Amino acid sequence: MSAREEDQDPNKKPSLFQVIISTLAAAFGVQSSKNRERDFKHGSIAAYIISGVLFTAIFILIIVFVVRLVLSQAGQ
């Protein structure tokens, strides 16, 4: 079985990369029903909670950085 086939196995626990991709897709509202089903059936809730919290923290830090950058450029 190739690595590509292993990634497509719906009965296999999602990899770290798949958890990250699922978290990002869910954040943007573009999660496929196939991946969502895989996540709910075989994924660990802790992995998705940790991934979601990290994504949210990084997102907030990026927003704060961009706002500070814009304000500094505006002379504030």
Side-chain angles (χ1 to χ4, degrees):
M1 188 179 295
S2 71
R4 180 85 174 145
E5 290 171 352
E6 288 176 6
D7 287 343
Q8 299 300 324
D9 186 4
N11 296 320
K12 187 177 176 215
K13 181 178 175 184
S15 68
L16 177 62
F17 180 72
Q18 289 172 323
V19 170
I20 292 169
I21 295 299
S22 287
T23 302
L24 293 174
F28 291 106
V30 295
Q31 180 74 305
S32 72
S33 60
K34 180 184 84 174
N35 287 347
R36 186 174 26 86
E37 256 184 63
R38 179 203 62 214
D39 296 343
F40 279 101
K41 285 183 181 178
H42 303 289
S44 164
I45 187 71
Y48 291 99
I49 290 172
I50 292 168
S51 180
V53 168
L54 286 174
F55 171 78
T56 302
I58 291 168
F59 180 76
I60 290 170
L61 289 173
I62 289 171
I63 296 296
V64 167
F65 173 76
V66 169
V67 168
R68 287 184 177 181
L69 181 66
V70 169
L71 289 177
S72 71
Q73 295 297 319
Q76 295 284 332

